[in-house]
Amino acid sequence: MNMTNAHAQRRTSDGMVDLHGHLLPGIDDGAKDLEQALNMARLAVEDGIAVSVLTPHHLNGVYTNTARHVRQQLARFRDRLFEHGIPLQVLPGTECHLVPELPTALAAGTALTIADRNQAVLVELPVHTVPLGASSILEDLLAMGLQPVIAHPERNRELIGDSEQLADWVDMGCLAQVTAQSCTGRFGSQIQNAARRMVCDGLIHVMASDAHRDSRRIPQLSAGREVVAQWASPETASLLTEDFPRALVDGRAVDTAVLKDTLPSRKGRLASWLRRLRA
Ligand SMILES: [Fe+2]
């Protein structure tokens, strides 16, 4: 790894940053009520998460959470965290469904960017397909100066078996976020294998919890971080859980060039695969 660059990025880190979670109570399929939301925040702190970007669904055909609404709900939740003495920094965000009207919504300010920085936007694909025109919408976002962060590509049925499409998007300038529980095997071996391949191919830049509840789908990054440290390296795990998401919430560019040097070589990956096969 290029230690100078990596160190330069890491100096700014101070705890893990969870870029994707549904903690805001009662506004989507995440936390059901305030009590559950507070429990989730406590779990995040216990896990070593310092910052959580709260990202309710938007434009997915079920939930509409405009920028104004999310900001208001976040301000209320921040007050509740303070009252309960929970030291979790929360920032506004939205998980935006990748629909043709998304660029217009972002330009009009009715959909939120990550941490309200107008630099990057968390985008969600359908579970089963990559919709026609997806690349063109991503190009439009990039042309607007917004960097798309593709949420959990390892859980998309089309991308699971073929990460070439994801590689094309990353070449275009997009980033991608793996879900921590995909890495730990919570969603099954097929998704776990896809996550491993994408991480080791350098197609993943952020690990997030995508937490929905205070049990099972919880705000936890540490277990996934350990898995990534074994798949790739401890440096990769740090970049994905600290440095890169921290840059995004601070509104700084993500220096993706440092990622490659932290990943195992193809030769090393083959040797590790053979070792696992013989074990
Ligand atoms: Fe989500």
Side-chain angles (χ1 to χ4, degrees):
M1 164 176 212
N2 182 329
M3 293 311 292
T4 307
N5 285 346
H7 184 65
Q9 290 240 347
R10 197 158 300 122
R11 269 184 316 194
T12 58
S13 290
D14 184 19
M16 294 189 287
V17 177
D18 189 1
L19 217 63
H20 179 174
H22 301 261
L23 278 68
L24 282 179
I27 67 171
D28 68 355
D29 57 348
K32 286 179 179 169
D33 51 31
L34 179 62
E35 187 186 350
Q36 188 169 68
L38 293 172
N39 284 341
M40 291 169 78
R42 288 187 190 97
L43 288 172
V45 171
E46 280 169 20
D47 195 54
I49 294 168
V51 181
S52 285
V53 183
L54 308 189
T55 55
H57 293 285
H58 186 44
L59 299 173
N60 69 348
V62 182
Y63 300 106
T64 301
N65 282 299
T66 61
R68 189 176 170 192
H69 185 55
V70 176
R71 287 191 197 105
Q72 286 172 345
Q73 296 299 312
L74 182 110
R76 282 189 195 178
F77 186 53
R78 195 177 269 154
D79 288 346
R80 301 292 92 76
L81 290 173
F82 182 76
E83 285 166 11
H84 287 79
I86 302 171
L88 179 68
Q89 185 185 358
V90 290
L91 298 171
T94 303
E95 183 174 13
C96 297
H97 213 67
L98 195 64
V99 289
E101 55 267 43
L102 178 59
T104 310
L106 287 161
T110 58
L112 265 185
T113 55
I114 292 172
D116 221 353
R117 291 281 190 179
N118 283 322
Q119 181 196 316
V121 57
L122 183 68
V123 297
E124 177 188 38
L125 293 162
V127 176
H128 295 289
T129 58
V130 173
L132 279 176
S135 295
S136 148
I137 302 169
L138 293 171
E139 277 171 9
D140 288 348
L141 296 176
L142 286 162
M144 291 166 62
L146 291 172
Q147 189 166 34
V149 179
I150 295 158
H152 39 68
E154 80 285 358
R155 287 160 53 196
N156 175 279
R157 302 308 305 177
E158 279 193 38
L159 298 178
I160 278 176
D162 172 15
S163 41
E164 264 184 48
Q165 176 64 85
L166 180 61
D168 285 347
W169 290 338
V170 170
D171 284 347
M172 279 164 50
C174 297
L175 303 174
Q177 169 253 306
V178 75
T179 297
Q181 291 190 335
S182 298
C183 300
T184 58
R186 164 84 173 78
F187 302 115
S189 59
Q190 196 184 17
I191 289 176
Q192 188 180 32
N193 289 337
R196 181 188 190 119
R197 191 182 64 248
M198 289 173 184
V199 166
C200 292
D201 283 347
L203 300 177
I204 296 293
H205 309 88
V206 172
M207 171 184 288
S209 72
D210 192 9
H212 280 68
R213 291 283 183 273
D214 57 359
S215 64
R216 297 165 72 90
R217 293 189 69 184
I218 59 174
Q220 183 185 67
L221 296 179
S222 57
R225 179 183 169 128
E226 280 178 32
V227 173
V228 167
Q230 287 170 16
W231 285 350
S233 69
E235 289 79 12
T236 309
S238 294
L239 290 177
L240 268 52
T241 55
E242 295 183 54
D243 308 294
F244 287 174
R246 173 72 67 174
L248 288 167
V249 299
D250 287 351
R252 290 181 284 112
V254 172
D255 180 9
T256 58
V258 300
L259 176 63
K260 190 166 172 270
D261 293 334
T262 72
L263 298 171
S265 66
R266 283 192 178 277
K267 202 171 157 189
R269 285 166 63 185
L270 182 63
S272 144
W273 179 74
L274 286 170
R275 270 198 306 277
R276 287 202 313 278
L277 210 61
R278 288 184 192 126

